[in-house]
């Protein structure tokens, strides 16, 4: 498949901000920058009907692609034959290639919101009944004792909390970031949904996921809801389906509080992180966890034009749910180190997400776009109105013995200029091991155009490649 291949297969992962399969063996996948070919089937995924969901709050039942086409990296995408995955890392004339299967749900028409009052009342009733039974049992057991009774209700209230939250605590991170996190309510001809975003400038630029706002990209509406309840209209400045990043700007507001951006190139597995967003329209929700893994190749993005995203994800066990898409993942200094985008959610025996109106929820495996990549893309969008994709200009598929095997090389591309040939198998880029086609795609996309990278091939040769860049035209 190609780096932007709309028909690319999903890898089996071991899927909003809404957020895998085994690669298919054989043939070359379509390359939005090269020729398109047909995938072949292979082995079966190790998970039980796995599904990766983009964590937006859009109604999953409205997907134009149907539940029976479940995509392991999306809320509802295509379930492709398993085996080795084909991909292409690089562009020919059309950066989007032929239409394939969207890895994100097409947003549905807005559904009436169900009041949680009855549910809460039911929970309260259960708690009341349990409390009454327990109280009766305690009274029976202690009714015969002597001495004065002690009642917590008679005790004075403790002193009210004063002072600032302890530095480095989840509380401190929440206090610092919450004023900068917004709920994004979007609507368009294809439906409506909601997600999250965060302020990156005092004059109203907000960073989020492409799949959060794409439904409103062509004549739709976006409304940002701030922590204090204020609302402001927003419009899309630019978006990039290939990295699942978008920038919107609100109007009629000033002196906003931007976040502090951290860095994702020095993250460590096990370090604590905090996620903030609007899961299931519960704005301002704060959860915490750790960095579970780094450099996880994940296909978890797309657009209505079926543009597949492969990101070099930060994996976390902080609770992320539909509606968290586009919200920040922060370190304990309150610096944003990722954009929450996808979750892994095994499908149920009844068919999993997308059937019966169900929607995947948190199971402790979430994925965020590294902020270093997001920062570069957002900066380019704000300055030029469009994103630039990094590429080498070659089709690629999983090599049977491991690594990424190159297919057709685009004339005049960085790959051709570097002397790479069809059939070459890439096993490393600089110090990073390349064990699959998705890993190669992710490794290239995290780098900036014009960077030099050393490719190690399976025969021991090393080739220096100067990476290329080309503008991305969203659908």
């Amino acid at each position: 498949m190609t780096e932007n291949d709309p028909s690319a297969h999903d890898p089996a992962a071991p899927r909003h901000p809404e957020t895998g399969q085994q690669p298919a063996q054989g043939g070359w996948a379509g390359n939005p920058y090269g020729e398109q070919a047909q995938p072949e089937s292979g082995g079966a995924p190790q998970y039980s009907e796995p599904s990766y969901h983009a964590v937006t709050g859009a109604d999953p039942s409205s997907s134009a692609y149907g539940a029976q086409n479940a995509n392991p990296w999306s809320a509802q995408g295509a379930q492709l034959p398993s085996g080795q995955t084909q991909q292409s890392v690089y562009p020919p004339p059309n950066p989007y290639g032929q239409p394939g299967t969207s890895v994100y749900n097409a947003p549905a028409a807005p559904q009436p919101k169900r009041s949680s009052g009855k549910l809460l009342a039911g929970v309260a009733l259960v708690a009341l009944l349990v409390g009454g039974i327990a109280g009766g049992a305690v009274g029976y057991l202690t009714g015969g004792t002597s001495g004065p009774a002690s009642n917590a209700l008679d005790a004075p209230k403790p002193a009210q909390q004063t002072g600032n939250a302890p530095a480095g605590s989840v509380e401190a991170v929440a206090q610092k970031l919450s004023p900068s996190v917004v709920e994004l309510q979007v609507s368009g001809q294809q439906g409506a949904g909601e997600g999250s975003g965060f302020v990156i400038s005092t004059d109203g630029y907000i960073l989020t996921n492409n799949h959060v706002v794409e439904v409103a990209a062509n004549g739709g509406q976006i409304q940002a809801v701030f922590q204090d309840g204020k609302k402001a209209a927003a419009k899309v400045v630019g978006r990039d389906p290939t990295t699942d990043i978008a920038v919107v700007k609100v109007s009629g507001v000033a002196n906003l509080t931007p976040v502090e951006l951290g860095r994702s190139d020095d993250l460590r597995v096990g370090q604590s992180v905090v996620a903030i967003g609007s899961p299931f329209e519960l704005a301002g929700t704060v959860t915490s966890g750790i960095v579970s893994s780094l450099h996880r190749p994940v296909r978890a993005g797309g657009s209505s034009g079926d543009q597949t995203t492969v990101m070099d994800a930060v994996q976390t066990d902080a609770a992320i749910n539909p509606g968290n898409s586009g919200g920040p993942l922060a370190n304990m200094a309150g610096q944003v180190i990722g954009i929450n985008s996808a979750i892994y959610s095994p499908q149920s025996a009844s068919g999993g997400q997308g059937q019966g109106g169900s929607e995947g929820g948190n199971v402790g495996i979430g994925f965020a776009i590294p902020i270093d990549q997001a920062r570069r893309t957002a900066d380019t969008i704000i300055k030029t109105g469009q994103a630039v994709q990094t590429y080498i200009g070659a089709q690629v598929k999983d090599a049977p013995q491991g690594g990424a095997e190159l297919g057709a090389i685009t004339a005049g591309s960085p790959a051709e200029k570097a002397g790479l040939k069809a059939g070459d198998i890439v096993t490393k880029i600089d110090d990073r091991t390349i064990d699959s086609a998705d890993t190669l795609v992710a490794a290239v996309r995290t780098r900036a155009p014009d960077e030099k990278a050393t490719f190690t091939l399976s025969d021991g040769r090393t080739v220096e490649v100067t990476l290329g860049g080309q503008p991305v035209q969203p659908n």
Side-chain angles (χ1 to χ4, degrees):
M1 78 173 198
T2 66
E3 183 175 1
N4 291 335
D5 185 8
S7 64
H9 300 321
D10 293 319
R15 106 168 233 94
H16 203 205
E18 176 130 86
T19 337
Q21 299 243 338
Q22 294 287 339
Q25 296 179 350
W28 300 104
N31 182 347
Y33 304 111
E35 299 179 357
Q36 185 103 6
Q38 299 296 322
E40 301 177 4
S41 61
Q46 299 302 312
Y47 293 107
S48 172
E49 303 269 347
S51 176
Y52 283 81
H53 305 294
V55 285
T56 65
D59 181 358
S61 64
S62 66
S63 172
Y65 302 99
Q68 61 267 44
N69 296 327
N71 181 340
W73 292 99
S74 70
Q76 182 178 347
Q79 181 77 23
L80 299 176
S82 54
Q84 290 192 322
T85 302
Q86 302 171 331
Q87 303 186 52
S88 158
V89 195
Y90 314 97
N94 177 3
Y96 296 102
Q98 300 299 321
T101 301
S102 173
V103 289
Y104 283 104
N105 281 336
Q111 298 295 320
K113 295 184 179 178
R114 295 179 296 176
S115 170
S116 60
K118 291 185 178 180
L119 174 60
L120 295 177
V123 173
L125 178 60
V126 171
L128 178 63
L129 292 175
V130 172
I133 294 171
V138 171
Y140 175 79
L141 293 174
T142 62
T145 61
S146 60
S150 176
N151 192 327
L153 299 178
D154 297 329
K157 292 182 180 180
Q160 191 171 24
Q161 296 186 65
T162 59
N164 297 324
S169 65
V170 174
E171 181 184 0
V173 175
Q175 288 181 358
K176 179 178 180 179
L177 277 181
S178 292
S180 305
V181 180
V182 301
E183 178 184 7
L184 295 175
Q185 301 171 345
V186 300
S187 62
Q189 293 182 348
Q190 296 181 357
E194 61 91 32
S196 306
F198 53 92
V199 177
I200 57 174
S201 72
T202 56
D203 58 348
Y205 284 107
I206 294 173
L207 190 55
T208 185
N209 284 138
N210 171 68
H211 72 259
V212 170
V213 300
E214 63 183 348
V215 67
N218 299 310
Q221 295 182 335
I222 304 174
Q223 182 173 250
V225 183
F226 293 87
Q227 180 195 33
D228 59 6
K230 291 181 180 178
K231 300 179 180 180
K235 65 177 182 179
V236 176
V237 177
R239 57 193 184 91
D240 179 10
T242 70
T243 57
D244 198 23
I245 292 170
V247 176
V248 302
K249 188 175 184 181
V250 294
S251 58
V253 293
N255 300 320
L256 297 178
T257 303
V259 299
E260 179 184 358
L261 299 180
R263 54 190 302 166
S264 51
D265 60 354
D266 64 351
L267 291 176
R268 298 176 182 176
V269 173
Q271 77 174 77
S272 298
V273 288
V274 174
I276 305 180
S278 305
F280 299 108
E281 301 185 34
L282 300 173
T285 297
V286 178
T287 58
S288 64
I290 63 169
V291 173
S292 303
S293 184
L294 296 168
H295 305 299
R296 184 75 76 189
V298 172
R299 297 189 199 182
S303 71
S304 57
D306 307 311
Q307 182 61 55
T308 300
T309 293
V310 178
M311 62 179 175
D312 197 39
V314 177
Q315 182 181 329
T316 180
D317 68 348
I320 298 173
N321 286 286
N324 271 114
S325 274
L329 185 69
N331 60 25
M332 302 313 292
Q335 301 167 330
V336 177
I337 50 85
I339 304 176
N340 299 316
S341 299
I343 56 175
Y344 170 78
S345 186
Q347 292 184 351
S348 67
S350 62
Q353 189 280 334
Q355 295 192 10
S358 62
E359 188 171 47
N362 173 65
V363 294
I365 303 177
F367 303 100
I369 301 169
I371 198 62
D372 292 349
Q373 179 178 358
R375 179 200 290 262
R376 183 175 67 250
T377 301
D379 186 57
T380 303
I381 287 175
I382 291 172
K383 290 178 178 177
T384 69
Q386 62 183 167
V388 174
Q389 181 193 42
T390 308
Y391 77 105
I392 62 171
Q395 292 184 338
V396 62
K397 68 176 183 180
D398 291 342
Q401 65 272 42
E405 182 177 347
L406 302 184
I409 307 295
T410 304
S413 67
E416 183 188 57
K417 293 176 180 178
L420 292 171
K421 306 291 184 184
D424 284 342
I425 298 175
V426 181
T427 59
K428 290 182 71 175
I429 295 182
D430 292 333
D431 295 329
R432 179 172 180 176
T433 298
I434 302 300
D435 56 4
S436 69
D438 272 2
T439 305
L440 175 60
V441 173
V444 169
R445 285 187 173 174
T446 58
R447 297 165 184 263
D450 299 324
E451 277 190 29
K452 296 183 183 298
T454 300
F455 284 44
T456 300
L457 307 181
S458 59
D459 58 7
R461 290 183 294 132
T462 59
V463 178
E464 185 177 74
V465 180
T466 300
L467 304 177
Q470 74 169 24
V472 176
Q473 297 289 344
N475 296 5

